Amino acid sequence: MPPQPITLADYEALARERLDPGAWAYLYGGAADELTLRANTEGWQRLELWPRVLRALAGGHTQVQLAGRTLAHPILLAPVAHQQLAHPDGEAASALAAAAQGAGYVLSTQSSVPMETVSQAVLGDPGRGPLWFQLYWQHDRGFNLALAERARAAGYEALVLTADAPVSGARDRERRTGFSLPPGVASVHLRDLPPLRRAEAGTYCGGLPAHALRWEDIAWLQERTPLPVWIKGVLHPQDALQAQQLGVAGLIISNHGGRTLDTAPATARALPRIAEALEGKLPLIVDGGIRRGTDVLKAVALGASAVLLGRPVMHGLAVEGALGVARVIRILRDELEIAMALSGCRTLSDATPALLDGASQLS
């Protein structure tokens, strides 16, 4: 019997052994030369923690305030499509694991399990984190609104609009394997999407950019749904400021896990620039390359309220189903607590930019 995985990297290695090459390429790979994919992880690794010692740590905890709630810790599960590629239980398993560990959960539009199945499995858990629905904007506004209303009726508490993927990235790794969804795995929420008429398509990226999400679409949706709206996929401070003017609930600093535009900046570089521009006027969540508890602590120090975890969740799911996902979350939370204690942080409010800049602590 192989030893129990003790790090997120252990789960990654085991998942690679268990998944077929096509599924691995889809769930793990990035765009083009995968420079941004690697830069995401390296960006957190390059940041140094400057620990303070001999501080009072009694009564410490990992709690954070987010979306009007007190969460046990700042870890949420990112929207990842087609999770039945990793395990037959798919999104239902990862959502159950998130609820069991007090983590927030964001369900993808391209889920392979219906949103109602997922929400019914977790809404009754009093210790669960937030339950949100990620919306990929489609070419039919009426369809988008109907999907948003369906999510509200199913108990989802916010919408997460993905802004950074008007088209798919050039994912060479997938194409080399000839990846396609296997029988029985599909985007169940898009089955009734009206087809894009040929006359509307054009030739520029198959006509998809002409129907991509725009600022006016966000305002249009906000007027028609009672759900708070977050925007995911923001890297530029000017976009963050424009989103703030629209009155969105918050921003997710993301480069789509390096799966869309290669050579886009790592999220560890974008986060402090956006935090500085917004001056605390919007809550920020960050994803991309989070693999250690020290990464979570660094993200909070740079201005994030929470982090989203994507690929490691799929690794845990592929290895042990819901139990694997729960263990991945627990490992990261345990590492976060260790990093906090060793850095002199009793709570996450003690994690400020000074934690990453020893020179500033001379003042």
Side-chain angles (χ1 to χ4, degrees):
M1 182 176 179
Q4 175 65 43
I6 60 172
T7 69
L8 271 58
D10 291 343
Y11 274 102
E12 179 180 318
L14 289 172
R16 186 165 192 168
E17 293 175 0
R18 298 189 181 197
L19 292 169
D20 69 67
W24 177 256
Y26 178 81
L27 292 171
Y28 179 84
D33 297 313
E34 299 185 340
L35 299 174
T36 297
L37 171 63
R38 292 191 292 274
N40 275 343
T41 301
E42 293 167 357
W44 301 114
Q45 292 172 341
R46 280 194 294 266
L47 293 170
E48 294 178 324
L49 290 168
W50 288 72
R52 299 297 302 273
V53 297
L54 305 178
R55 288 187 161 187
L57 299 176
H61 59 76
T62 60
Q63 292 178 0
V64 294
Q65 300 295 316
L66 184 69
R69 295 176 57 175
T70 300
L71 308 185
H73 55 77
I75 302 167
L76 290 80
L77 272 55
V80 179
H82 307 129
Q83 293 186 22
Q84 285 184 335
L85 288 169
H87 191 277
D89 294 337
E91 290 81 0
S94 55
L96 280 169
Q101 292 294 323
Y105 188 79
V106 188
L107 182 71
S108 172
T109 290
Q110 294 180 317
S111 171
S112 49
V113 175
M115 65 174 79
E116 293 83 1
T117 301
V118 173
S119 63
Q120 288 168 10
V122 301
L123 282 178
D125 189 332
R128 67 175 178 85
L131 180 63
W132 298 348
F133 182 74
Q134 175 264 342
L135 179 61
Y136 274 122
W137 195 254
Q138 306 298 321
H139 59 268
D140 187 295
R141 265 189 169 184
F143 181 88
N144 293 317
L145 186 58
L147 201 57
E149 173 55 26
R150 180 179 167 186
R152 186 203 62 77
Y156 291 80
E157 299 151 336
L159 296 175
V160 176
L161 291 179
T162 292
D164 61 354
V167 299
S168 294
R171 299 207 288 263
D172 300 342
R173 189 192 292 246
E174 285 180 36
R175 291 186 289 177
R176 289 191 182 103
T177 65
F179 171 77
S180 61
L181 290 175
V185 179
S187 300
V188 296
H189 301 134
L190 300 180
R191 286 172 175 163
D192 298 326
L193 176 65
L196 182 63
R197 292 191 295 270
R198 187 177 298 274
E200 298 176 329
T203 57
Y204 175 41
C205 291
L208 293 176
H211 301 276
L213 182 67
R214 296 173 296 174
W215 294 111
E216 51 263 42
D217 294 318
I218 295 172
W220 179 88
L221 183 62
Q222 286 176 302
E223 292 174 355
R224 290 163 175 80
T225 179
L227 293 178
V229 173
W230 288 67
I231 302 179
K232 179 177 182 289
V234 177
L235 293 173
H236 200 290
Q238 288 299 320
D239 287 336
L241 290 171
Q242 190 161 351
Q244 187 264 326
Q245 292 171 3
L246 273 180
V248 299
L251 299 180
I252 298 174
I253 313 308
S254 174
N255 53 37
H256 217 95
R259 291 170 61 82
T260 51
L261 178 64
D262 200 22
T263 74
T267 50
R269 290 194 64 207
L271 172 60
R273 290 163 171 78
I274 289 177
E276 181 180 8
L278 288 175
E279 299 178 327
K281 295 174 183 175
L282 277 180
L284 303 177
I285 299 175
V286 68
D287 70 9
I290 301 290
R291 298 294 182 271
R292 286 286 190 178
T294 46
D295 300 339
V296 181
L297 184 59
K298 292 170 185 178
V300 174
L302 290 177
S305 297
V307 303
L308 282 175
L309 199 63
R311 287 179 179 87
V313 174
M314 294 303 95
H315 302 154
L317 186 63
V319 174
E320 295 178 307
L323 179 60
V325 176
R327 284 176 169 162
V328 162
I329 299 168
R330 188 71 236 189
I331 287 169
L332 200 64
R333 182 179 177 184
D334 288 346
E335 289 185 355
L336 171 62
E337 291 186 3
I338 292 168
M340 290 171 62
L342 293 176
S343 297
C345 296
R346 188 180 70 85
T347 70
L348 287 170
S349 63
D350 296 326
T352 68
L355 185 62
L356 305 175
D357 183 0
S360 70
Q361 299 184 28
L362 297 176
S363 58

